[in-house]
Amino acid sequence: MTDQKDWESTEVIICGCGPTGALLSAYLGRAGVHNVVVEKEPTITTDPRGIALDDDGIRLLQGLGLYDSIYTKIGTSMGRFNFVSGTDCDMHRTPILAMDYNIIAGATGHVGYIGHKQPVLESHIRNCMPSSHCSLRCNATVVQLEEDEDWTYCTYRDATGEERGIRARFFVGADGKTGYTRKKYLEPRGVFMEKFHAAFYEETWVALNWRITVPTPQSHPNFPLWKRGYSPEQVYDLFFPPEFRFLCNPDRPAVSGRFGLPADRLWRFEYIIHKGEDGCVMASPEEMRRVVYPYITHRGSRYQLAEDVQFPEDCIEVLRCRPFTFSSRTCNVWAKDRVILCGDAAHVFPPFGGQGIVSGFRDAMSLSWRLAMLCRYHTNNKAHYHVLKAWYEERKQQLKLSLATTVANGVMVCETHPLKIFLRDWYIWFVQFIPSWRRQLQHGRRKATIFRYRHSNGMPFIPDLNGGLYLPQVYCRRIEDNEILFTDDAIYGSLNNASLFRLFVYARDSSEIPAIKHTLEGIENWSRGEFSATDIPFILEKGDIDPTSLSKGKNTFQVATADEFADSPLCSDRPRPSDYDPCLLGDKVQGKYIIVRMDRVIFASCANEDELRRAVHTMLGYLHGDDPAEH
């Protein structure tokens, strides 16, 4: 080992600055953890790879202060996901099922999905990495990794070819499924990718990205639809319809849709490679045209024309067309000693549910506060083994659900057996006559599946106090100035508070406040300074507000209606909320005093002072180095 005095020191090293690594760095920085990110590429990769981000991902961007950029610079709501059956390559065919992700049916207050341009997404996240605590080293290639009981030692080669050494208490590999951390360092130590047997999938697909230029009567005077009265924008919508489509074509299943901002005019098309076909051959320009162009060629009879109509080929710029092997796999362990895996380095997803990037986000967010705890409180013990093991065992529960849903979508899209296709289409048609089932299908089952972790040793929540439940987010109105906010912004604020847990009060009406304030007296002392009575947000569900019962300041809020949110600046550039339940937060937290983790998971929901004191005692034991396996 090189003499330690020659090594630069930090608290966490992150290998890879894709979406997962950047988000982890940003949240670590906000928690006061110094970190260095080493990224082998000189700049952000311009290829738009992932294109979909679900409402959990939007929520975590919101937590970084990026909400104002989500719908104006990063992406736009993807609207409905249309499952289209048949073999006629018609994207306008009536779908057998349409899941509407414009509606606010989930637990976050956000639309179900945005279609984003990944390089723009990454750029905005990097801008949230505070320079006071985060250092990004681009053009830096890891060449060696070592560790002892207290430190990890990383040697990397910079842009000049010089080798530099840096040590940290923890090393996080967010460098993808073929990156250095897992392939070169951890696999020889017994860490490997394994099939997710409950929801296994593995196929090769071609993924292509197009940038579209809209033809005009001036640029393409002979295009036949001008004579039929169509405008350039109408032509664009006809050939590249605005909503996402899962093309359940038994001859060759495919997925297609727009992504990025409307002005970007980007389009994704993915199609499966059959057994016996060569992926590189099927991604060639000739084979790509054979597979894809029938979808952008319309029968002339549709427009009362003798000849078929194809979208002009010179208006299509191919940004990418290459084969990828998609599979559902996860590593047997995600952390070994002081080296940790995140995102694609720890698990990989098929392309049917937009879960690749957001799963990495969830990893990063749930890991960030744990690393902050280990760096802040556990400097002289070996608690990291239990903390990290509980982290990835907890995450694997949610991963299992995401993979199962994703693979189920894939099975529906990729079915080729005629009888099974008939039964699938008949079943979907039939259940939509039952209103409650139709509603669940159209909502993508979001409201019915607010996730809850199952407790086992070391997991930081109290199961008998409603711990482990994913915290719902609704809209609220600040009493002092009537500003409309998300409840996360009321609870977590700027994330600059030193505490790694938050405590908030949920009251049905203001008559409960005097007794609640009495309970919270002196909490600074018995929480060892983790909570302050003057900083605890009060969220009131309903009823008239009694001004005499409220404290001065900006910490008292009332649940807001959908109309109040729709009329606020927060609803600019995004769909107005529909099917929004303002009582969702109160119904789910089931208590007055709610302690929540930084990853939006309830630690404990307490009905009275005795339960609150018990929960705070348990929380402090976890924070300050008691054996987490005992909690």
Side-chain angles (χ1 to χ4, degrees):
M1 187 80 65
T2 305
D3 189 345
Q4 291 184 5
K5 69 181 181 181
D6 297 330
W7 292 78
E8 176 188 0
S9 295
T10 190
E11 292 178 290
V12 177
I13 298 170
I14 302 169
C15 182
C17 198
T20 298
L23 192 94
L24 175 60
S25 175
Y27 273 108
L28 283 174
R30 278 161 169 73
V33 177
H34 292 276
N35 62 91
V36 172
V37 186
V38 288
E39 167 55 54
K40 67 179 181 180
E41 299 296 334
T43 58
I44 292 173
T45 302
T46 58
D47 178 25
R49 290 148 289 158
I51 64 169
L53 190 67
D54 77 3
D55 54 341
D56 284 353
I58 299 170
R59 185 180 190 178
L60 295 181
L61 295 181
Q62 171 201 336
L64 289 177
L66 286 174
Y67 181 77
D68 289 344
S69 299
I70 290 172
Y71 299 98
T72 58
K73 298 177 182 178
I74 296 174
T76 189
S77 175
M78 297 181 77
R80 295 193 307 174
F81 283 8
N82 297 293
F83 291 80
V84 180
S85 188
T87 60
D88 51 3
C89 300
D90 181 2
M91 288 190 286
H92 290 275
R93 185 184 178 102
T94 300
I96 57 173
L97 172 63
M99 297 179 179
D100 190 348
Y101 287 103
N102 270 335
I103 59 179
I104 312 302
T108 67
H110 293 298
V111 299
Y113 284 90
I114 60 167
H116 64 87
K117 187 177 179 181
Q118 185 170 333
V120 177
L121 172 69
E122 291 186 29
S123 175
H124 279 79
I125 299 174
R126 288 189 182 189
N127 289 339
C128 293
M129 295 162 55
S131 59
S132 59
H133 288 80
C134 309
S135 175
L136 173 59
R137 317 274 174 89
C138 291
N139 236 335
T141 303
V142 175
V143 295
Q144 188 174 12
L145 182 61
E146 301 172 273
E147 60 183 311
D148 58 28
E149 288 188 357
D150 300 310
W151 295 92
T152 64
Y153 301 84
C154 170
T155 303
Y156 69 91
R157 186 177 296 113
D158 66 15
T160 68
E162 182 178 353
E163 290 191 359
R164 299 182 179 275
I166 183 170
R167 69 176 187 170
R169 295 199 59 214
F170 299 97
F171 185 99
V172 181
D175 48 348
K177 58 186 178 182
T178 60
Y180 176 93
T181 310
R182 181 170 60 81
K183 297 296 291 184
K184 297 292 182 64
Y185 185 74
L186 287 180
E187 284 192 358
R189 290 162 173 79
V191 177
F192 55 89
M193 280 278 190
E194 58 188 1
K195 295 179 180 180
F196 215 100
H197 295 285
F200 182 65
Y201 176 91
E202 187 164 77
E203 295 287 353
T204 300
W205 289 62
V206 169
L208 66 85
N209 294 330
W210 286 356
R211 179 182 290 119
I212 308 300
T213 301
V214 177
T216 67
Q218 293 73 36
S219 65
H220 294 77
N222 296 323
F223 188 67
L225 294 191
W226 309 139
K227 295 180 181 179
R228 290 291 181 265
Y230 288 93
S231 69
E233 286 297 325
Q234 288 173 326
V235 167
Y236 176 59
D237 288 341
L238 281 170
F239 287 88
F240 302 95
E243 294 178 327
F244 219 76
R245 280 157 175 77
F246 293 86
L247 303 168
C248 310
N249 185 337
D251 292 342
R252 191 176 297 274
V255 181
S256 72
R258 301 179 188 179
F259 65 99
L261 295 177
D264 295 333
R265 300 194 188 281
L266 298 172
W267 194 62
R268 166 66 59 88
F269 196 96
E270 297 175 356
Y271 54 92
I272 198 169
I273 304 303
H274 292 313
K275 298 261 191 300
E277 294 178 335
D278 183 283
C280 294
V281 171
M282 293 304 297
S284 66
E286 298 76 19
E287 289 300 307
M288 181 269 288
R289 289 189 186 93
R290 182 178 67 83
V291 173
V292 181
Y293 272 61
Y295 286 96
I296 58 168
T297 302
H298 294 176
R299 293 176 180 171
S301 57
R302 177 172 180 170
Y303 308 105
Q304 294 79 50
L305 295 171
E307 302 289 333
D308 290 347
V309 183
Q310 179 183 294
F311 189 82
E313 187 169 354
D314 62 350
C315 290
I316 298 170
E317 178 187 0
V318 179
L319 303 178
R320 166 223 255 178
C321 187
R322 53 177 290 199
F324 291 86
T325 297
F326 294 115
S327 62
S328 55
R329 294 177 183 267
T330 181
C331 284
N332 56 331
V333 297
W334 297 7
K336 191 169 182 64
D337 299 323
R338 292 183 175 272
V339 178
I340 308 160
L341 296 173
C342 249
D344 286 351
H347 47 74
V348 290
F349 273 80
F352 304 111
Q355 292 296 299
I357 289 178
V358 76
S359 288
F361 278 11
R362 294 186 188 109
D363 295 348
M365 182 57 170
S366 60
L367 178 63
S368 64
W369 71 267
R370 288 169 164 95
L371 289 178
M373 178 185 70
L374 291 171
C375 291
R376 185 183 303 172
Y377 298 106
H378 298 203
T379 55
N380 296 315
N381 61 37
K382 307 304 177 186
H384 65 274
Y385 171 80
H386 298 290
V387 170
L388 296 175
K389 185 173 186 290
W391 162 70
Y392 67 75
E393 287 184 344
E394 189 179 88
R395 282 289 304 120
K396 279 188 173 185
Q397 293 182 32
Q398 199 282 333
L399 187 80
K400 181 178 180 180
L401 177 64
S402 295
L403 275 172
T405 302
T406 298
V407 171
N409 285 345
V411 169
M412 184 159 68
V413 172
C414 298
E415 186 56 68
T416 59
H417 192 283
L419 178 58
K420 291 182 179 180
I421 291 173
F422 171 79
L423 293 174
R424 175 199 68 196
D425 293 358
W426 180 88
Y427 172 78
I428 292 173
W429 171 81
F430 173 76
V431 299
Q432 293 186 71
F433 284 100
I434 304 170
S436 61
W437 291 10
R438 180 177 69 246
R439 191 179 183 84
Q440 284 192 25
L441 283 174
Q442 292 173 344
H443 290 181
R445 299 184 181 276
R446 281 174 289 160
K447 184 174 290 187
T449 55
I450 295 179
F451 188 76
R452 180 188 296 276
Y453 289 114
R454 299 185 310 276
H455 189 266
S456 64
N457 285 346
M459 292 185 182
F461 59 86
I462 304 175
D464 63 310
L465 293 181
N466 202 32
L469 182 74
Y470 185 53
L471 179 71
Q473 176 174 234
V474 296
Y475 315 132
C476 63
R477 174 175 56 86
R478 185 166 23 224
I479 300 301
E480 183 180 74
D481 55 13
N482 288 321
E483 181 183 0
I484 301 299
L485 302 93
F486 292 95
T487 48
D488 275 8
D489 298 326
I491 296 165
Y492 293 96
S494 65
L495 290 182
N496 291 325
N497 186 301
S499 177
L500 298 177
F501 290 82
R502 290 290 193 272
L503 170 64
F504 73 94
V505 168
Y506 192 92
R508 298 297 171 177
D509 58 61
S510 61
S511 65
E512 301 179 41
I513 291 180
I516 291 172
K517 285 185 176 180
H518 179 73
T519 296
L520 297 175
E521 287 179 359
I523 195 172
E524 292 91 342
N525 295 324
W526 46 274
S527 70
R528 299 191 209 172
E530 293 294 332
F531 303 131
S532 170
T534 58
D535 294 332
I536 295 170
F538 281 61
I539 299 175
L540 311 180
E541 183 173 293
K542 58 187 176 181
D544 295 332
I545 305 300
D546 178 6
T548 63
S549 68
L550 305 179
S551 302
K552 292 182 179 180
K554 298 183 177 181
N555 281 334
T556 307
F557 308 85
Q558 186 172 29
V559 172
T561 66
D563 288 340
E564 286 176 311
F565 179 83
D567 293 337
S568 77
L570 293 179
C571 201
S572 300
D573 303 302
R574 59 160 279 176
R576 294 171 67 91
S578 60
D579 203 38
Y580 159 73
D581 180 3
C583 297
L584 181 65
L585 177 61
D587 290 345
K588 296 298 182 181
V589 298
Q590 300 176 4
K592 292 180 181 178
Y593 311 95
I594 300 94
I595 300 175
V596 288
R597 306 176 345 191
M598 301 305 288
D599 55 354
R600 281 59 175 170
V601 172
I602 294 175
F603 178 81
S605 183
C606 310
N608 52 52
E609 182 176 349
D610 288 343
E611 290 183 350
L612 178 59
R613 284 180 176 269
R614 172 194 162 202
V616 169
H617 176 75
T618 305
M619 179 195 77
L620 292 173
Y622 190 83
L623 277 177
H624 290 278
D626 292 352
D627 184 358
E630 296 177 1
H631 300 296

